[in-house]
Amino acid sequence: MLYSLARPFLFGMDPEAAHALALASLKLIERTGMASILADTGPARSVRLMGLEFPNALGLAAGLDKNGEYIDALAAMGFGFIEIGTVTPRPQPGNPKPRMFRLPEAQALINRLGFNNQGVERLLANVARARYRGVLGINIGKNFDTPIERAADDYEFCLAKVYAHASYVAVNVSSPNTKDLRRLQGADELGALAGKLKTEQMRLADAHGRYVPLVLKIAPDLDDAQLGAISRCLLKHKLDGVIATNTTVSRAAVAGLRHAEESGGLSGAPLGATSTEIIRKLARLLEGKLPIIGAGGVMSADDARAKLRAGASLVQIYTGFIYRGPELIGEILRAVSEAAP
Ligand SMILES: Cc1cc2nc3c(=O)[nH]c(=O)nc-3n(C[C@H](O)[C@H](O)[C@H](O)COP(=O)(O)O)c2cc1C
C-alpha cells in the first residue's frame, strides 16, 4: 500500500537515483522499528535444500544489494533468503551513467551497471554489522580489468574471503555487462573454473569445518547444446545447485519500445517465459540431481508458480520487487503456501 503511494514519485526519478533513495528509506524505516508498515510477509512454508533450511521459497536476487548494506531492511520484508553482490575482489565504479533504464510498458528494466561495488572487504564489514541470521547467499564475480584468462583467480579469492560468512556462494558467469564474462559458460572454460572452485571449496570446508554450497548462475541466452554442456559440467564437478537465470541480451520481446535499444541486460516480464523454459530444460538434464533456483520475470504469484512447476525449488525476484514492491512478496508466499500438499 505504502509502496504504491511512493511508486509514482520514485518512477518519476532517474532509475538509479530512485533505487538508492528507496533502499535508504527502507533502511531508515527498518531502523526505526517500522518495517511492518511496508512489509507484506505472508505465510511461510520452509524448504530444505543443499543442507540449508529456507524459511520460505522466495528470495531476493543478486544485484539489488551489491554491498550488503541493506540486509536487515530487506530481510524484514519477508524474504526467505537474500543474495547480496555481485562482489568483486577490489572496489570498482562500474560503467558510466546512465546505465539503468525503465521500460514501464513492458514491466522491464535494462541495466549495464557493470558490477559497480565497493569490493569484498567492505561487503564483509557490512555482513558483520547485520543482525540477520537467515540464509544469506553471496554472489561473486571478477573485476572488469582482470583478464578473462585469469578470471578463476578472482573467483577463488572471493570464495575464500566470503566462505565463512555465506550460507551459499553464487558464482556469476552470466552478467552481460562485463566483457567476455559469459565466455566462462563455455564447456572448456567452465570445466576449468568449476574444477578449481570445487577444489577450493573442499579445502575451505576442511579448514572451517563447514560445507558451504556453491551454485552457478547462468544466462538465459543459451542454446540446447550449451545447456547440455553446462549441466554435464555441474554434475561432473559436483556443484551444489544452479540459478537460472540472469538478464537477457535479447530484445525480441521489447522491440520498438523506448530504451529497448540500450545495451545491457533486460530483466522483468519479457524475460519470464525464456527463463522458465531454461529451468524446464535444466530440470530434464539434471534429473533432480541438483536443485534449481529460478529467477527472471517473476512479477506475480502465477509467474512464481510457473517456475516451481518447471522444476525450480526456490524462486528469486528483482525487477518484480521494483515494480510491485513488498506486496509481491506476500502475494507469492500466500499462493505458494496454498499450493502446498
Ligand atoms: C539493476 C540490476 C542489477 C543486477 N545486478 C546483478 C548482479 O550484480 N549479479 C547478478 O548475478 N545478477 C544481477 N542482476 C540479475 C538479477 O539478479 C536477476 O537474475 C535478473 O534480473 C532476472 O530476474 P528479474 O526479472 O526478477 O529481475 C541484476 C538485475 C538488475 C535489474
Side-chain angles (χ1 to χ4, degrees):
M1 169 62 184
L2 200 60
Y3 187 78
S4 48
L5 292 176
R7 209 190 87 134
F9 172 69
L10 290 170
F11 273 49
M13 294 172 66
D14 161 73
E16 205 173 335
H19 177 110
L21 177 65
L23 284 172
S25 312
L26 189 62
K27 188 169 182 165
L28 189 71
I29 289 169
E30 193 271 334
R31 284 252 169 105
T32 49
M34 308 268 282
S36 59
I37 63 166
L38 269 176
D40 179 5
T41 48
R45 182 162 70 93
S46 68
V47 179
R48 200 163 172 78
L49 207 67
M50 306 189 293
L52 301 170
E53 183 83 17
F54 294 78
N56 67 57
L58 180 64
L60 174 72
L64 188 74
D65 189 3
K66 288 185 189 271
N67 301 301
E69 293 168 276
Y70 306 102
I71 296 171
D72 290 328
L74 290 163
M77 297 298 105
F79 287 111
F81 61 110
I82 289 177
E83 191 171 310
I84 59 173
T86 296
V87 69
T88 56
R90 289 168 283 114
Q92 61 179 34
N95 289 321
K97 293 179 185 175
R99 53 194 182 173
M100 202 198 285
F101 306 89
R102 282 188 210 101
L103 289 75
E105 308 92 325
Q107 292 203 68
L109 296 172
I110 291 175
N111 91 84
R112 52 169 177 269
L113 294 174
F115 292 168
N116 55 315
N117 80 103
Q118 296 168 357
V120 69
E121 293 297 348
R122 179 69 82 86
L123 174 133
L124 290 176
N126 290 334
V127 170
R129 266 197 295 274
R131 284 172 281 116
Y132 179 65
R133 292 292 169 266
V135 177
L136 182 71
I138 304 186
N139 180 307
I140 60 174
K142 73 175 254 320
N143 278 113
F144 80 102
D145 56 354
T146 300
I148 202 70
E149 299 73 28
R150 305 285 307 271
D153 295 352
D154 279 14
Y155 288 100
E156 282 180 294
F157 180 83
C158 285
L159 176 60
K161 282 278 178 191
V162 306
Y163 190 88
H165 311 279
S167 308
Y168 70 86
V169 176
V171 178
N172 182 4
V173 288
S174 48
S175 167
N177 301 315
T178 294
K179 190 171 174 294
D180 292 336
L181 192 82
R182 285 183 168 195
R183 262 175 50 195
L184 298 173
Q185 295 177 123
D188 294 346
E189 292 87 346
L190 188 60
L193 179 64
K196 282 182 185 163
L197 292 179
K198 188 71 204 179
T199 304
E200 182 64 358
Q201 178 197 27
M202 297 313 288
R203 185 189 72 76
L204 291 161
D206 211 35
H208 293 277
R210 185 171 75 98
Y211 182 82
V212 176
L214 198 56
V215 308
L216 186 75
K217 182 161 178 179
I218 64 168
D221 310 307
L222 296 165
D223 62 27
D224 289 354
Q226 289 170 310
L227 265 185
I230 290 172
S231 302
R232 284 191 294 280
C233 184
L234 288 167
L235 294 171
K236 176 175 173 197
H237 293 285
K238 298 192 163 52
L239 265 68
D240 300 285
V242 54
I243 304 177
T245 69
N246 213 312
T247 55
T248 179
V249 292
S250 167
R251 296 294 185 268
V254 293
L257 295 183
R258 183 167 140 82
H259 296 312
E261 295 312 317
E262 293 291 348
S263 67
L266 172 71
S267 61
L271 171 62
T274 311
S275 79
T276 301
E277 203 43 42
I278 295 274
I279 292 167
R280 202 183 314 283
K281 289 177 180 172
L282 268 181
R284 257 199 306 270
L285 290 161
L286 295 170
E287 299 172 332
K289 291 177 188 139
L290 274 194
I292 301 168
I293 302 174
V298 174
M299 317 297 286
S300 70
D302 280 348
D303 297 336
R305 268 198 293 243
K307 293 249 179 318
L308 295 171
R309 274 198 214 107
S313 302
L314 303 167
V315 171
Q316 293 178 318
I317 56 173
Y318 185 140
T319 306
F321 189 56
I322 302 287
Y323 275 88
R324 303 269 326 272
E327 155 191 312
L328 178 59
I329 301 173
E331 181 185 312
I332 291 175
L333 293 183
R334 280 187 290 276
V336 169
S337 80
E338 276 161 23

